[in-house]
């Protein structure tokens, strides 16, 4: 059990924070560098950029459900370590292929797909590992602190990646992503708290376990509304993101450094959201936050497709920062609700099922974003994405009473419960 002084004094949680920070830093560098490899190094079309986005996120659709059933049967920490080290090796092949003159767009898609599959196992294990590490009473605090770390890396990742892409080229920049994920896995080996092996079922069957997870999530009205709203948001977010870098570089004419600054601004919004998440959840309740956050911040993303070179880009970047702020506040509240409503034995399957439903449409969103960008152009595609993200509040708004009646309690208003940057 963690001490009453808060998670900041728990050495194992601190190790998880550091490992998360390094892994997320590598991931944020990847977020900028991988599509820029396609855009700048391989001169990919708008449709191919959308196809690459689809390959990056197709892992949830391919292995999302069996990953949850498998993770529920094993210890979570070894999965985190193995997935990080494997992702590091996969990313290392991109600069090697570039330097040897063998890098192609399809190689890039294969790397994105394999990295995405490994990320599914990592994410399902990571979310399922937290309740056992910190205790259910500390879930809101733990999620908020982890979100604060992710937000800091959202700022520093693009800020580092932008100049690196300019100096060394996008392929070489992926070395930083590979190193961050390798260090993350190595630091996670230092977590000492024992983790019990889950009890084996009487007749363990993968298909039965998957069906049980699906029935639990889709049969619970509050969980179903949350994951459906998340699915809408993610679909239109990826459609938006598929054309965001194309818009910034080819329509507005920003350099790689300028693109990195815009994405760093989004990270600033995410950091502020992480710092405010516990306070907002305490004031409004985690339930209302889940639908109120997208309803108030997503409309501001329409500023970006209207921006042109000059001061309007700064205003549009503020809109993207607001999107990140609302997104982090929503995810902290949402994760805590999902984890609280789920028994320990179903955590992996719940997380995998929620991810499968929430992320299942993401590859289609990437493809649709690329196709729409080709046929209509980046500006209409971004406007459509902004509208869809705003409408994603509707499922949870319709069931706000059911969600509000089964939310976790947020701790007393002491400074120790607030996340620190």
């Amino acid at each position: 059990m963690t001490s009453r002084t808060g998670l900041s004094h728990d050495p194992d949680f601190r190790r998880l924070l550091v490992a998360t920070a390094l892994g997320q830093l590598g991931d944020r560098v990847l977020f900028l560098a991988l599509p820029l490899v396609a855009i700048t190094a391989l001169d990919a079309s708008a449709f191919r950029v959308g196809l690459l986005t689809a390959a990056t996120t197709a892992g949830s659709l391919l292995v999302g459900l069996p990953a949850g059933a498998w993770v529920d049967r094993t210890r979570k920490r070894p999965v985190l370590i193995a997935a990080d080290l494997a992702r590091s090796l996969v990313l290392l092949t991109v600069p090697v292929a570039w330097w040897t003159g063998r890098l192609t767009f399809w190689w890039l898609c294969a790397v994105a797909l394999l990295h995405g599959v490994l990320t599914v196992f990592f994410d399902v294990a990571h979310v399922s590992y937290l309740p056992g590490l910190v205790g259910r009473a500390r879930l809101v605090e733990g999620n908020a602190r982890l979100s604060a770390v992710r937000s800091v890396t959202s700022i520093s990742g693009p800020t580092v990646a932008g100049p690196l892409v300019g100096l060394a080229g996008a392929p070489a920049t992926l070395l930083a992503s590979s190193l961050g994920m390798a260090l993350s896995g190595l630091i996670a080996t230092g977590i000492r708290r024992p983790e019990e092996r889950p009890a084996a079922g009487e007749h363990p069957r993968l298909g039965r376990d998957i069906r049980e997870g699906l029935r639990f999530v889709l049969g619970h009205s509050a969980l179903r509304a949350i994951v459906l709203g998340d699915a809408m948001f993610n679909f239109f977010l990826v459609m938006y993101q598929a054309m965001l870098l194309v818009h910034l570089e080819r329509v507005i004419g920003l350099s790689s450094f300028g693109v990195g600054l815009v994405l760093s601004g989004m990270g600033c919004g995410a950091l502020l959201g992480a710092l405010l998440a516990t306070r907002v959840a305490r004031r409004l309740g985690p339930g209302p936050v889940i639908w109120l956050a997208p309803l108030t911040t997503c409309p501001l993303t329409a500023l970006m497709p209207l921006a042109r070179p000059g001061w309007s880009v700064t205003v549009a970047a503020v809109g993207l920062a607001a999107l990140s702020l609302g997104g982090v506040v929503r995810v902290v509240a949402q994760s805590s609700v999902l984890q609280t409503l789920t028994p320990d034995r179903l955590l992996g399957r719940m997380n995998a099922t929620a991810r499968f439903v929430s992320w299942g449409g993401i590859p289609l969103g990437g493809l649709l974003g690329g196709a729409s960008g080709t046929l209509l152009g980046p500006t209409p595609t971004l406007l459509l994405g902004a509208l869809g993200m705003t409408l994603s509040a509707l499922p949870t708004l319709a069931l706000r009473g059911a969600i509000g009646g089964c939310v976790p309690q947020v701790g007393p208003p002491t400074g120790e419960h607030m996340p620190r940057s």
Side-chain angles (χ1 to χ4, degrees), residues 314-342:
T314 303
V315 176
V318 173
L320 294 182
L323 172 70
S324 296
L325 186 153
V328 169
V329 171
R330 175 182 63 86
V331 166
V332 169
Q334 179 174 292
S335 299
S336 302
V337 171
L338 292 173
Q339 291 164 340
T340 299
L341 294 177
T342 306

Side-chain angles (χ1 to χ4, degrees), residues 256-274:
S256 297
F257 180 73
V259 173
L261 287 179
V262 171
L263 297 183
S264 293
M266 294 178 69
C268 290
L271 176 59
L272 182 59

Side-chain angles (χ1 to χ4, degrees), residues 31-76:
F31 176 77
L32 177 64
L34 193 64
L36 284 179
V37 173
I39 294 171
T40 62
L42 301 177
D43 195 27
S45 65
F47 178 76
R48 284 197 165 191
V49 174
L51 184 61
L52 180 63
T53 301
T56 303
T57 55
S60 294
L61 192 61
L62 295 175
V63 300
L65 293 177
W70 183 77
V71 165
D72 271 341
R73 299 179 182 182
T74 188
R75 294 185 178 96
K76 314 302 186 287

Side-chain angles (χ1 to χ4, degrees), residues 17-399:
L17 277 180
V18 174
T20 300
L22 289 167
Q24 287 291 313
L25 182 61
D27 191 64
R28 298 313 296 175
V29 172
L30 172 70
F31 176 77
L32 177 64
L34 193 64
L36 284 179
V37 173
I39 294 171
T40 62
L42 301 177
D43 195 27
S45 65
F47 178 76
R48 284 197 165 191
V49 174
L51 184 61
L52 180 63
T53 301
T56 303
T57 55
S60 294
L61 192 61
L62 295 175
V63 300
L65 293 177
W70 183 77
V71 165
D72 271 341
R73 299 179 182 182
T74 188
R75 294 185 178 96
K76 314 302 186 287
R77 189 172 68 95
V79 178
L80 299 177
I81 296 168
D84 259 338
L85 296 178
R87 291 192 299 173
S88 174
L89 291 174
V90 168
L91 292 179
L92 191 60
T93 67
V94 175
V96 171
W98 172 254
W99 290 328
T100 58
R102 297 181 178 180
L103 183 63
T104 65
F105 174 77
W106 301 112
W107 185 307
L108 208 60
C109 284
V111 167
L113 180 61
L114 183 54
H115 180 272
V117 168
L118 292 167
T119 299
V120 171
F121 285 94
F122 177 88
D123 286 348
V124 170
H126 191 277
V127 178
S128 303
Y129 184 53
L130 185 64
L133 183 68
V134 305
R136 290 178 176 270
R138 297 284 193 179
L139 279 177
V140 173
E141 181 188 3
N143 282 315
R145 290 181 183 273
L146 288 170
S147 292
V149 165
R150 294 188 188 101
S151 302
V152 171
T153 59
S154 294
I155 300 170
S156 55
T159 303
V160 170
L164 276 178
V165 169
L167 291 173
T173 302
L174 289 175
L175 285 172
S177 292
S178 177
L179 178 61
M181 291 175 187
L183 290 175
S184 173
L186 292 175
I187 289 175
T189 62
I191 297 176
R192 299 179 180 178
R193 184 163 301 154
E195 182 185 2
E196 294 184 2
R197 180 181 294 275
E202 184 179 354
H203 299 290
R205 293 180 181 176
L206 187 63
R208 184 197 63 184
D209 289 349
I210 290 173
R211 288 193 297 272
E212 186 178 8
L214 281 168
R215 283 196 301 268
F216 176 73
V217 173
L218 300 182
H220 194 297
S221 60
L223 298 183
R224 184 173 63 247
I226 290 172
V227 297
L228 289 179
D230 208 31
M232 286 183 61
F233 177 84
N234 288 330
F235 176 88
F236 287 102
L237 173 64
V238 171
M239 184 178 179
Y240 189 97
Q241 288 177 332
M243 288 298 103
L244 178 58
L245 293 181
V246 176
H247 180 77
L248 290 173
E249 177 159 319
R250 294 181 180 174
V251 176
I252 296 181
L254 293 183
S255 65
S256 297
F257 180 73
V259 173
L261 287 179
V262 171
L263 297 183
S264 293
M266 294 178 69
C268 290
L271 176 59
L272 182 59
L275 296 175
L276 294 175
T278 305
R279 191 183 303 274
V280 172
R282 185 184 301 120
R283 179 69 60 85
L284 301 177
V289 168
I290 294 173
W291 59 265
L292 190 58
L295 201 60
T296 56
T297 59
C298 290
L300 298 176
T301 58
L303 295 172
M304 180 54 72
L306 303 178
R308 291 299 179 266
W311 61 269
S312 62
V313 177
T314 303
V315 176
V318 173
L320 294 182
L323 172 70
S324 296
L325 186 153
V328 169
V329 171
R330 175 182 63 86
V331 166
V332 169
Q334 179 174 292
S335 299
S336 302
V337 171
L338 292 173
Q339 291 164 340
T340 299
L341 294 177
T342 306
D344 285 341
R345 70 180 188 86
L346 287 172
L347 276 171
R349 278 166 284 177
M350 180 279 293
N351 290 318
T353 301
R355 184 186 175 104
F356 178 80
V357 176
S358 299
W359 288 45
I362 286 181
L364 181 60
L367 288 174
L368 185 59
S372 177
T374 300
L375 296 174
L376 304 177
T379 298
T381 303
L382 292 177
L383 288 171
L384 183 59
L387 175 62
M389 285 188 285
T390 303
L391 294 178
S392 70
L394 292 180
T396 48
L397 181 60
L399 282 179

